[in-house]
């Protein structure tokens, strides 16, 4: 078997010390006052010899692994996928590597992933927690590894978190529908105890009350039965002598399932039914009536999560911080004013 290339091998060929090679390959050549030409030569030799750094040995020596653990709720959802990409890019700019996994909204899998990442000696964690994971978060607080929650959080647990004002974003969406003349506005949300979804429900309910609208037409679907229960919810909203004339979907995944069924039913958007979604999706651009949606600031959220985590890694005594970033209601054709009959 071919011998693994060492720092000593590179140093001998370059005619310098192993310490100098180490400075160059850890991007610290300026600190060691290594000339650009020599640094370039060392990197070229390392590349030719296919040098692979020993991260385990380095982390044992420095007490750091230069890695961040990331757990998202469902990597198949574009929203979480985009957050993961943003976090990975920002971590790389700060010379960190991201190791990530998806809990798939499963509490047991979430716990397993946390343990795996802690055993990998990550320097910190960024988590999108799943429902019921409060105890996991409390256990993490007892660990020496800092962490930050993003998108979802538990208000009764004081930890650093990055999020948005879900209540206000939802309220603004309903106020927009009222302003365009919609009088029977339904909402389809997940049946869950997660705080951020319940804040979206609260925004919907209070906006209806504030604008003297009809009573709440709230319908709930379980994540595990999203297809059939979203369809049931739409059937219920559209039945009777006074069917809903608008529907607000609490997430993009609910919106996509709902729009598929709305098409099957032949319901016209926005003539018969206005549609607004929390979160965006590329599919909304392909729909014959582009969908109005609440845009979450994914880039800002991801960058802020990395920044805050790195601050905690640097200063272990830094107090918990709650960062709230503004959303934007992107108004498009699907929520146009209804035509007078």
């Amino acid at each position: 078997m071919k011998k693994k290339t060492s720092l000593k091998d590179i140093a001998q060929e370059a005619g310098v010390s192993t310490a100098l090679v180490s400075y160059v390959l850890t991007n610290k050549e300026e600190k060691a006052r290594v000339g650009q030409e020599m640094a370039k030569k060392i990197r070229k030799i390392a590349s030719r010899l296919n040098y692979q750094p020993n991260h385990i040995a380095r982390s044992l020596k420095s007490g750091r692994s230069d890695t961040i653990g990331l757990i998202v709720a469902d990597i198949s959802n574009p929203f979480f996928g985009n957050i993961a990409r943003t976090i990975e890019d920002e971590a790389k700019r700060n010379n960190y590597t991201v190791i990530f996994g998806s809990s798939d909204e499963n509490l047991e899998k979430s716990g397993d992933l946390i343990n795996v990442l802690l055993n990998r000696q990550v320097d910190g964690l960024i988590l999108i927690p799943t429902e019921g994971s409060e105890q996991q978060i409390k256990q993490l607080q007892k660990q020496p590894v800092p962490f930050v929650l993003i998108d979802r959080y538990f208000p009764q647990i004081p930890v650093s978190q990055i999020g948005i004002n879900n209540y206000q974003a939802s309220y603004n969406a309903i106020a927009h529908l009222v302003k365009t003349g919609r009088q029977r506005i339904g909402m389809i949300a997940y049946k869950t105890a997660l705080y951020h979804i319940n804040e979206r429900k609260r925004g919907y309910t209070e906006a209806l009350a504030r604008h003297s609208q009809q009573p709440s037409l709230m319908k709930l679907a379980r994540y595990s039965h999203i297809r059939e229960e979203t369809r049931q919810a739409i059937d219920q909203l559209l039945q009777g002598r006074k069917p809903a004339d608008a529907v607000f979907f609490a997430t993009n995944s609910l919106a996509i399932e709902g729009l598929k069924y709305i098409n099957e039913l032949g319901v016209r958007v926005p003539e018969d039914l206005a549609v607004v979604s929390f979160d965006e999706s590329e599919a909304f651009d392909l729909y014959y009536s582009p969908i109005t949606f609440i845009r979450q600031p994914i880039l800002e959220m991801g960058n802020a999560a990395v920044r805050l985590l790195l601050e905690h890694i640097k200063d272990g005594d830094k107090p918990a911080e709650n960062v709230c970033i503004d959303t934007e209601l992107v108004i498009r054709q699907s929520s146009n004013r209804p035509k007078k009959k």
Side-chain angles (χ1 to χ4, degrees):
M1 186 172 70
K2 188 176 180 180
K3 178 189 170 187
K4 186 175 179 181
T5 301
S6 67
L7 291 176
K8 186 177 179 180
D9 297 327
I10 300 169
Q12 286 178 344
E13 184 162 336
V16 297
S17 68
T18 55
L20 192 144
V21 172
S22 178
Y23 274 117
V24 172
L25 297 184
T26 55
N27 300 310
K28 298 175 182 176
E29 61 265 30
E30 289 186 10
K31 182 178 179 181
R33 298 182 180 178
V34 181
Q36 290 186 0
E37 287 301 318
M38 178 54 71
K40 185 177 179 181
K41 178 181 178 181
I42 289 170
R43 288 196 174 93
K44 189 173 181 180
I45 293 170
S47 177
R48 178 165 51 80
L49 296 179
N50 195 27
Y51 171 72
Q52 298 294 323
N54 189 332
H55 293 292
I56 295 175
R58 184 188 298 174
S59 64
L60 288 172
K61 184 178 179 180
S62 66
R64 289 175 46 183
S65 64
D66 294 329
T67 58
I68 291 172
L70 169 64
I71 300 176
V72 300
D74 179 5
I75 198 63
S76 68
N77 186 317
F79 173 73
F80 298 124
N82 288 332
I83 279 187
R85 171 57 64 83
T86 297
I87 288 172
E88 185 177 35
D89 290 345
E90 182 64 13
K92 186 176 181 181
R93 280 191 286 271
N94 286 276
N95 299 314
Y96 274 83
T97 299
V98 174
I99 305 172
F100 69 89
S102 174
S103 69
D104 299 328
E105 303 286 7
N106 182 286
L107 185 61
E108 184 178 354
K109 188 174 181 182
S110 170
D112 290 342
L113 285 170
I114 289 172
N115 289 331
V116 166
L117 291 170
L118 291 178
N119 289 334
R120 290 289 296 269
Q121 304 288 312
V122 294
D123 294 331
L125 292 165
I126 298 175
L127 309 172
I128 300 176
T130 192
E131 184 173 6
S133 60
E134 290 94 332
Q135 197 57 39
Q136 293 175 1
I137 302 304
K138 291 177 181 178
Q139 288 298 320
L140 263 180
Q141 287 180 300
K142 300 175 183 178
Q143 298 285 340
V145 179
F147 66 94
V148 171
L149 303 185
I150 183 171
D151 180 53
R152 305 173 179 180
Y153 70 103
F154 306 104
Q156 71 276 20
I157 306 177
V159 300
S160 285
Q161 64 95 12
I162 309 294
I164 61 169
N165 190 331
N166 287 279
Y167 163 82
Q168 192 62 55
S170 180
Y171 186 102
N172 292 345
I174 302 308
H176 162 68
L177 287 169
V178 172
K179 187 177 179 181
T180 62
R182 304 293 170 166
Q183 298 178 351
R184 296 175 301 282
I185 304 169
M187 179 179 186
I188 301 178
Y190 282 125
K191 185 177 183 179
T192 177
L194 284 167
Y195 181 74
H196 73 299
I197 295 294
N198 286 333
E199 281 293 277
R200 295 176 190 182
K201 295 175 188 175
R202 185 169 74 90
Y204 161 79
T205 302
E206 293 192 11
L208 289 183
R210 184 73 61 84
H211 292 89
S212 302
Q213 278 280 314
Q214 298 256 342
S216 170
L217 297 174
M218 175 84 68
K219 304 298 176 184
L220 303 178
R222 289 171 293 175
Y223 177 80
S224 56
H225 296 74
I226 181 173
R227 184 176 184 273
E228 57 266 42
E229 293 189 4
T230 299
R231 288 172 170 242
Q232 290 171 13
I234 290 171
D235 283 338
Q236 291 166 7
L237 288 173
L238 297 182
Q239 68 185 4
R241 293 176 57 190
K242 292 185 176 181
D245 59 6
V247 60
F248 174 49
F249 292 100
T251 73
N252 56 1
S253 51
L254 287 167
I256 289 171
E257 287 296 333
L259 288 168
K260 290 177 187 175
Y261 189 48
I262 287 168
N263 266 358
E264 288 182 26
L265 294 174
V267 175
R268 299 173 301 165
V269 176
E271 291 85 354
D272 302 325
L273 186 72
V275 173
V276 176
S277 171
F278 211 112
D279 298 334
E280 59 188 298
S281 169
E282 290 183 357
F284 294 169
D285 294 327
L286 302 175
Y287 199 69
Y288 70 86
S289 178
I291 304 300
T292 295
F293 64 89
I294 296 168
R295 174 180 285 146
Q296 295 204 58
I298 291 175
L299 181 63
E300 292 87 346
M301 290 170 68
N303 289 348
V306 174
R307 174 192 59 78
L308 187 54
L309 181 62
L310 294 184
E311 289 177 6
H312 280 296
I313 291 172
K314 184 177 180 180
D315 179 6
D317 295 324
K318 179 180 171 62
E321 185 175 338
N322 185 336
V323 178
C324 186
I325 305 175
D326 292 336
T327 59
E328 177 190 4
L329 180 62
V330 180
I331 299 172
R332 304 201 292 182
Q333 186 179 339
S334 72
S335 61
N336 281 354
R337 289 182 177 275
K339 293 181 179 179
K340 293 182 179 181
K341 297 180 180 179

